[in-house]
Amino acid sequence: MQIGVDCNLAVGNRRIFVVAEDEIARMAVQFMLHDEYETHEFGSLDVAAEKARDWPPDLMIVGAELLADDEALTTRFPQARLLKLMEGDAAGDAAGDGGGEIACLYKPLRLESVRSAVANEFKA
């Protein structure tokens, strides 16, 4: 049984790549989104870029540790929106890096906040 799943989203054809070094966070995000979106998780940008040749993502959720060069990321995945996965929280921004034009998804991960952040990216 799928609880809290929006049927309109579940039948859509949106593809999300979750790319982070933290395997637990990667798998948690994938699990939270797989009912509503086609969600794939990867441990490196190189593997994700290889898969993107055949299945380009609509949204990339990328661990902050992999975002050293935002320009290179937008070059490798030009069609995808970007959501940064960070430590901290929206109120305090413990990582101190939450500003800017890239939307952020903060740990600890909660089902409502993850689904809301992704839905907001697709509305924008």
Side-chain angles (χ1 to χ4, degrees):
M1 176 188 238
Q2 299 172 335
I3 298 173
V5 173
D6 183 341
C7 292
N8 293 327
L9 293 176
V11 298
N13 206 14
R14 299 244 169 105
R15 183 174 296 124
I16 299 174
F17 282 8
V18 182
V19 187
E21 290 177 353
D22 180 358
E23 183 179 9
I24 294 171
R26 236 182 23 234
M27 293 176 76
V29 172
Q30 192 273 342
F31 180 76
M32 291 177 187
L33 295 174
H34 81 278
D35 287 335
E36 295 179 331
Y37 304 98
E38 178 185 338
T39 310
H40 305 273
E41 51 101 6
F42 304 98
S44 76
L45 288 170
D46 293 332
V47 174
E50 191 174 311
K51 293 294 183 185
R53 283 186 233 147
D54 297 327
W55 333 317
D58 298 302
L59 174 67
M60 299 276 302
I61 300 174
V62 182
E65 71 279 0
L66 297 176
L67 286 176
D69 189 358
D70 293 347
E71 241 178 77
L73 190 63
T74 55
T75 302
R76 291 171 97 177
F77 306 96
Q79 72 286 356
R81 296 181 175 277
L82 184 62
L83 189 60
K84 187 189 303 186
L85 181 59
M86 298 181 58
E87 296 290 334
D89 61 38
D93 188 23
D97 191 26
E101 37 193 76
I102 299 174
C104 297
L105 183 59
Y106 295 93
K107 295 177 188 177
L109 300 168
R110 292 181 177 82
L111 181 66
E112 300 82 18
S113 62
V114 171
R115 287 185 177 175
S116 173
V118 169
N120 288 339
E121 281 302 304
F122 285 125
K123 286 179 188 174

